[in-house]
Amino acid sequence: MSSSNASASSKPLRVAVVGATGAVGREMVKVLHDRNFPVAELGLFASERSAGKVQETPYGALTLKAFDAAVVKGYDVVLLAVSGDFAKAHAKDLASAGALVIDNSSAFRYDADIPLIVPEINAHVFREAYAAGSRLIANPNCTTAIAVVALGPLHKAFGIKRAIVSTYQATSGAGAEGMAELEEQTRNQLDGKPVTNSVFRHPIPFNLIPQIDAFQENGYTKEEMKVTWETRKIMEVPDLPLSCTAVRIPTYRAHSEAITLETIQPVTPDAARAVLADAAGVKVVDDPANGAYPMPLNATGQYDVEVGRIRNNIVFGDHGLDLFVCGDQLLKGAALNAVQIAELAL
Amino acid sequence: MSSSNASASSKPLRVAVVGATGAVGREMVKVLHDRNFPVAELGLFASERSAGKVQETPYGALTLKAFDAAVVKGYDVVLLAVSGDFAKAHAKDLASAGALVIDNSSAFRYDADIPLIVPEINAHVFREAYAAGSRLIANPNCTTAIAVVALGPLHKAFGIKRAIVSTYQATSGAGAEGMAELEEQTRNQLDGKPVTNSVFRHPIPFNLIPQIDAFQENGYTKEEMKVTWETRKIMEVPDLPLSCTAVRIPTYRAHSEAITLETIQPVTPDAARAVLADAAGVKVVDDPANGAYPMPLNATGQYDVEVGRIRNNIVFGDHGLDLFVCGDQLLKGAALNAVQIAELAL
C-alpha cells in the first residue's frame, strides 16, 4: 500500500529546509513537491559557503540562504538535515519559537520527552505530543525506519519476542560524498588506478565494511545500537531483545536487511503476507519462483519499503518468521519520513 | 593459526584436476603447488572444447586433455571441479578404481555413506572412512566451509544451541563468468551503457540479489539449505537449528557471513576469542577500535578465514555470541579445502 499524499486543501505553510544542499536536504525538497505539501514559501538554508548559490529544485531555481536562527524561526515547518551538533545548538530554540521542527539527526532521538516518529507505526504519539504543544520531533535512523514499517504490523499481529537483523547498507548513508566515493573509486579500481578512501574507513569498491559509526563498550557499533534503541521506542516495547549487525556494501542508496523473528503467537508465511499487504508504506515483493524479491535495483527511488523472502524459519519453527526488506535510504530512511511527519500536523 | 602444509617427504602421487579451466580448477592447481603437495604427475582435464589448449600453471605450461574416465582412473588423486551431473556420472566409477576422488559438487554431500569433510573440524571422519576403504569424499559448499572453521571450535567449547546466518556472497560462487559479469557490467553502468545479466538472474552492479540457487518448498533457497544440512553433517549435530539467508553482493571472491549464536554454556567475547585464536584455519581479526575486522579486501587470496566483530549479543545475553567471518570463496570455500582433504590421505 502506498502512503497517502497530503491534502492540497490544507492551509499553505512556510517551510524551511536546513542543510538543503546535502543528499537528504535535496530529497526533502523533491518529496515536498511530489506529495503536494501545501508550501506557501520554501526557504533553503545552508552554510555560509553555499549562501547565494542557486539550486535547481522542482519549485524552480532557488537561492540558498545562510542559516540565520532569527529568520528560520519565522517558518511554520523546519526540516533539519544537519549534524547532531548543529541540531543540538538550534533545534530547541527554533521549536520554542513555534515552528514544527523535524530533526533528521540522532541528537534527540533518545530523549524521553521528544517523540521519535514513523507515521505508519506511531502517529498517535505525534498527535498526543503535538496537541500538548511539542514542536520538536525526531526522525529515526534510516535502517530503523525501513525495518519498522514491516516490524510494526507484524508485532501487532503476532507479537515479536526477539529479532535479529543483518543489514546491507548503501553508501548514501554517508551522504552524497559517500555515493561519490563509491562511484569514483570503483572507476579507479576498474581502470587499474590507485583506490583511496576518505569518506569510508576502508576502500568500498567490491568490498564491504562491517562498521557503521563508532564502536560502543558492548562491541556493537552506534549504528547497530540505534536500530535496537529506536525500534524499541517507536514500537513501544522498551525491552525488545533486538540485535543488529550493520554492514556497508557497495550500493548507492537503498538499504536491505535480513530479519529473523521469533514471534509470541504462531505465524504462517501466508498470514504474515496478508498483514504486510495491508500495511501502510509496505510493498510485498515475494514471488521467488519468478525472481521477485526486494532488491536495491527496484527499491531505489520508491517510497514504499519492499518486503519479501517471507518464510517460517528453521530456528523458531512456527513461531519464527524470516523476511528481507529493502527501502530507499534517502526516502523512507530520511526525507520521506520527515515530510510524512510534517503531514501529520496538517 | 595457519593450516599446516603437506609434508614434502610423502611418496609423490599422480594427481588429476577435472574441470581444470574453471575458477576452482585453476585455484586447485595453484594450491597443490603452493602447499608442496607431493605431485608425481599433474593431469589437467577439461571439456572436448578445451582439449589441446595450453594452460599456464605454477608447474609450467600444461596441455589440457579431454576427460576420459579410463585415463583418469589411473591417477592416485582426482580433484573434481565439475557439475553435480558430471560428478554423478563418473565419481563413483573413478573411486571404485582406487583413486581418491574429492568432489566439489553437491552431488554426494548428503549421502550418509559419503564423508563430507572440512579437515580442521572432522578429519577423524575422513580417516575412519578412508581406513575402511572409502575413496569418494565430498567437499562442502563454500559458505558452509567458511562458517564451520569458526563454528566447530565454538561448538566444542560452548555448545551451539541455535545459529542464524546472513551471508554476503561474492560473484566467484558463480565461477569465473560471475566475476567477469560483475566487472563488465559495472563498467557498463559507470559508462552509461546498458547493463545486462546472463550469469545472474538480475543485474549485479551496485545491487544485491537475495537468491542463490533454486527455491525450495519451505521458502529457503537450496544454497541456504546447504548451509543448514552441511553444517549439521560436518559438526555431527543432526538436528542443529540453523537458519541461513544467502545474498549475492557485488564483490569478487570472498564470502562474508554475519552469525548470531545461542550457546549452551555461557560465553564471553574473550573466551570465544581465545578459542578461535587456537583454531586451525582461523585468523582472529578483531580490533575494532583500530578498524580491524574481517573484510573481502583482506580475506581475498588468504587461506585462513578471518573472524571478528566478536561480542555477546543482545538477544541471548551471556549465552549469545555474534561474529562476522570472511573467507576466500575459491580457497577455503573450494580449492584449498579439497587439497587439504587430499593431504589427509598422505
Side-chain angles (χ1 to χ4, degrees):
Chain A
M1 244 170 62
S2 287
S3 311
S4 60
N5 281 19
S7 163
S9 64
S10 304
K11 175 176 161 287
L13 300 171
R14 301 183 72 218
V15 179
V17 174
V18 183
T21 58
V24 172
R26 286 173 187 268
E27 291 294 330
M28 285 171 165
V29 176
K30 286 188 205 164
V31 171
L32 286 166
H33 186 266
D34 183 55
R35 292 173 70 87
N36 297 316
F37 193 90
V39 175
E41 184 202 322
L42 180 64
L44 300 191
F45 295 88
S47 63
E48 292 279 358
R49 192 163 41 88
S50 297
K53 291 185 185 163
V54 171
Q55 185 162 308
E56 291 299 328
T57 80
Y59 296 94
L62 297 178
T63 301
L64 294 157
K65 299 170 211 174
F67 176 80
D68 177 337
V71 174
V72 174
K73 273 179 192 171
Y75 285 79
D76 302 308
V77 174
V78 179
L79 304 179
L80 293 181
V82 296
S83 70
D85 285 342
F86 188 100
K88 275 184 191 151
H90 297 288
K92 289 194 173 174
D93 183 38
L94 297 171
S96 62
L100 172 61
V101 179
I102 299 162
D103 175 32
N104 194 51
S105 84
S106 64
F108 303 105
R109 289 178 191 158
Y110 315 116
D111 290 8
D113 59 338
I114 297 194
L116 176 68
I117 302 296
V118 172
E120 293 88 343
I121 307 304
N122 64 345
H124 63 281
V125 172
F126 173 90
R127 291 206 177 91
E128 284 160 28
Y130 191 76
S134 287
R135 289 297 178 270
L136 172 55
I137 311 292
N139 203 38
N141 165 274
C142 45
T143 305
T144 310
I146 289 165
V148 295
V149 290
L151 297 186
L154 292 172
H155 180 61
K156 204 172 264 185
F158 310 107
I160 295 176
K161 190 170 166 189
R162 316 179 211 250
I164 292 148
V165 179
S166 299
T167 76
Y168 304 71
Q169 294 185 228
T171 51
S172 61
E177 297 78 7
M179 293 186 281
E181 183 160 301
L182 172 63
E183 179 167 339
E184 289 163 17
Q185 298 305 321
T186 301
R187 203 184 290 277
N188 282 350
Q189 180 156 344
L190 290 174
D191 292 348
K193 293 180 188 163
V195 174
T196 61
N197 57 293
S198 57
V199 176
F200 299 109
R201 193 165 185 176
H202 303 276
I204 188 68
F206 308 109
N207 191 27
L208 61 70
I209 306 171
Q211 176 185 3
I212 300 177
D213 210 332
F215 281 95
Q216 311 294 292
E217 282 275 311
N218 64 357
Y220 285 82
T221 60
K222 194 168 177 199
E223 177 80 2
E224 291 162 350
M225 292 311 302
K226 284 176 182 174
V227 178
T228 299
W229 296 328
E230 297 182 23
T231 302
R232 288 172 172 172
K233 182 167 176 177
I234 296 165
M235 289 182 26
E236 299 174 75
V237 188
D239 54 358
L240 180 70
L242 183 151
S243 176
C244 178
T245 299
V247 180
R248 186 81 68 198
I249 66 164
T251 53
Y252 282 112
R253 56 175 279 178
H255 283 1
S256 305
E257 306 175 39
I259 304 178
T260 293
L261 302 177
E262 182 181 11
T263 56
I264 294 164
Q265 306 298 326
V267 60
T268 66
D270 281 345
R273 267 181 222 110
V275 165
L276 291 166
D278 280 342
V282 167
K283 182 180 177 191
V284 175
V285 180
D286 195 22
D287 182 10
N290 290 307
Y293 26 69
M295 290 193 297
L297 189 68
N298 301 323
T300 297
Q302 302 295 321
Y303 285 167
D304 284 342
V305 171
E306 295 191 346
V307 184
R309 296 296 324 270
I310 298 162
R311 59 201 193 274
N312 274 131
N313 72 46
I314 289 169
V315 166
F316 299 114
D318 66 357
H319 285 68
L321 195 74
D322 266 42
L323 50 151
F324 197 78
V325 306
C326 188
D328 190 301
Q329 189 270 332
L330 295 174
L331 293 175
K332 189 59 194 174
L336 170 64
N337 198 73
V339 173
Q340 286 177 300
I341 295 172
E343 288 171 1
L344 293 176
L346 295 177
Chain B
M1 240 168 66
S2 287
S3 311
S4 59
N5 282 17
S7 162
S9 63
S10 304
K11 175 177 160 284
L13 301 171
R14 301 183 71 218
V15 180
V17 175
V18 182
T21 59
V24 171
R26 286 173 187 269
E27 291 295 331
M28 284 170 164
V29 175
K30 284 187 206 165
V31 172
L32 286 166
H33 186 268
D34 184 54
R35 292 174 70 87
N36 297 315
F37 193 89
V39 175
E41 184 202 324
L42 180 64
L44 300 191
F45 295 88
S47 63
E48 291 281 0
R49 191 163 43 86
S50 297
K53 290 185 185 163
V54 170
Q55 185 162 306
E56 291 299 328
T57 80
Y59 296 95
L62 297 178
T63 302
L64 294 158
K65 300 170 210 173
F67 176 80
D68 177 338
V71 174
V72 174
K73 274 179 193 171
Y75 284 79
D76 301 308
V77 174
V78 179
L79 304 179
L80 293 181
V82 297
S83 71
D85 286 344
F86 188 99
K88 275 183 192 152
H90 297 288
K92 288 192 175 177
D93 184 37
L94 296 170
S96 62
L100 172 61
V101 179
I102 299 163
D103 175 32
N104 194 50
S105 85
S106 64
F108 303 104
R109 289 177 191 157
Y110 315 115
D111 291 7
D113 60 336
I114 296 191
L116 176 68
I117 303 296
V118 172
E120 293 88 344
I121 307 303
N122 65 345
H124 64 280
V125 172
F126 173 90
R127 292 205 177 91
E128 284 161 29
Y130 190 76
S134 288
R135 289 296 178 272
L136 174 53
I137 310 293
N139 203 39
N141 165 274
C142 45
T143 306
T144 310
I146 289 165
V148 295
V149 291
L151 297 186
L154 291 173
H155 180 62
K156 202 171 266 185
F158 310 107
I160 295 176
K161 190 171 168 188
R162 317 181 211 248
I164 292 148
V165 179
S166 299
T167 75
Y168 304 72
Q169 293 184 228
T171 52
S172 61
E177 298 78 6
M179 292 187 281
E181 183 160 301
L182 172 62
E183 178 167 340
E184 289 163 17
Q185 299 305 321
T186 301
R187 202 183 290 277
N188 282 349
Q189 179 155 342
L190 290 175
D191 292 348
K193 293 180 187 163
V195 174
T196 60
N197 56 293
S198 57
V199 176
F200 299 110
R201 194 167 185 175
H202 302 277
I204 189 68
F206 308 109
N207 192 26
L208 60 72
I209 305 173
Q211 175 184 4
I212 300 177
D213 210 332
F215 280 96
Q216 312 293 293
E217 283 275 312
N218 64 357
Y220 284 82
T221 60
K222 194 169 176 197
E223 178 80 2
E224 290 161 352
M225 292 310 302
K226 284 175 182 174
V227 178
T228 299
W229 296 328
E230 297 180 24
T231 302
R232 288 172 173 173
K233 182 168 175 175
I234 295 164
M235 288 180 29
E236 300 175 74
V237 188
D239 54 358
L240 180 69
L242 183 152
S243 177
C244 178
T245 299
V247 180
R248 186 81 69 197
I249 66 166
T251 53
Y252 282 113
R253 57 175 280 179
H255 283 1
S256 305
E257 307 175 39
I259 303 179
T260 293
L261 302 177
E262 183 181 10
T263 56
I264 294 165
Q265 305 298 327
V267 61
T268 66
D270 281 344
R273 266 180 222 112
V275 165
L276 291 166
D278 280 340
V282 166
K283 182 181 178 189
V284 175
V285 180
D286 196 23
D287 183 9
N290 290 307
Y293 27 68
M295 290 193 296
L297 189 69
N298 301 325
T300 297
Q302 302 296 322
Y303 285 166
D304 284 342
V305 171
E306 295 190 347
V307 184
R309 295 297 324 271
I310 297 163
R311 60 202 193 273
N312 273 131
N313 72 46
I314 290 169
V315 166
F316 299 114
D318 66 357
H319 285 69
L321 194 73
D322 267 40
L323 50 152
F324 196 78
V325 305
C326 189
D328 189 300
Q329 189 270 332
L330 295 174
L331 293 175
K332 190 59 196 174
L336 171 64
N337 197 74
V339 172
Q340 286 176 301
I341 294 172
E343 289 171 359
L344 294 176
L346 294 177

